[in-house]
Amino acid sequence: SGGGGSEDGSIDIENVGPAKGKGVENIPSDAEQWTVDMAKECSQLCGIPADWLWCHWRAETGFKAENCPGTNNWGCVKSEDGWVEKSSPSEWAKYFARYITGNWKPNPAKAKSLYEYVKFLQEQDDGNPYCADDNGSTTAYYNKLVRCLGNKGTVL
């Protein structure tokens, strides 16, 4: 699985991507600071560029709590127990870092571009795309993320 916490409170995540904390400059300048901080914190843990995470969550929820069941669930993630609930944006960042680097095949943390990140989300080996709203279309979901970000994001 994708790692977990240790006794000292640090997070050990396997398969960490190469872009810890990168991409903040690609997030729109009018973004609320707490959303940027949350994306940067998650990026520092999982290595996925902060701008990819930010536009992913913005596309899912618009950073409005009423757009997704669950508390501080900015990716509309559902578990076997129901909608994921976290106590704060920081707890969401930590959870999502472990979630996104977990049992995904192919692993989104290995992506080299926003398009590839979306492709890895949408074209899972189990046949279940991350975003069914777009009928699993990589191009449709990618275009949604680019519209939220206003650019094509970090390229590694």
Side-chain angles (χ1 to χ4, degrees):
S1 91
S6 67
E7 289 182 28
D8 66 2
S10 64
I11 297 176
D12 177 27
I13 297 177
E14 298 171 19
N15 303 313
V16 173
K20 291 182 178 184
K22 292 184 182 175
V24 173
E25 69 280 359
N26 293 321
I27 297 173
S29 60
D30 62 349
E32 291 184 69
Q33 191 60 49
W34 71 270
T35 66
V36 177
D37 293 345
M38 181 172 61
K40 187 174 180 181
E41 180 178 2
C42 187
S43 175
Q44 292 286 358
L45 295 169
C46 70
I48 295 171
D51 51 338
W52 301 357
L53 296 164
W54 185 89
C55 68
H56 177 173
W57 300 335
R58 172 119 188 252
E60 290 295 319
T61 65
F63 294 112
K64 295 181 182 354
E66 64 270 13
N67 289 341
C68 184
T71 304
N72 289 302
N73 184 346
W74 305 111
C76 289
V77 175
K78 197 172 187 180
S79 73
E80 293 174 3
D81 300 327
W83 294 102
V84 171
E85 305 231 4
K86 296 295 160 195
S87 62
S88 67
S90 179
E91 288 303 310
W92 167 257
K94 292 171 189 165
Y95 166 81
F96 197 80
R98 287 187 302 268
Y99 170 75
I100 202 68
T101 57
N103 294 318
W104 295 74
K105 289 185 175 85
N107 189 325
K110 300 297 184 186
K112 301 293 183 199
S113 67
L114 180 58
Y115 183 83
E116 193 172 51
Y117 174 74
V118 171
K119 180 177 178 173
F120 290 177
L121 289 173
Q122 294 297 79
E123 299 177 7
Q124 287 296 298
D125 286 350
D126 65 5
N128 293 316
Y130 179 87
C131 184
D133 291 350
D134 295 314
N135 296 318
S137 167
T138 296
T139 301
Y141 197 64
Y142 169 74
N143 288 336
K144 182 188 286 186
L145 269 57
V146 169
R147 282 191 303 275
C148 287
L149 193 56
N151 60 65
K152 294 182 181 182
T154 300
V155 176
L156 304 177

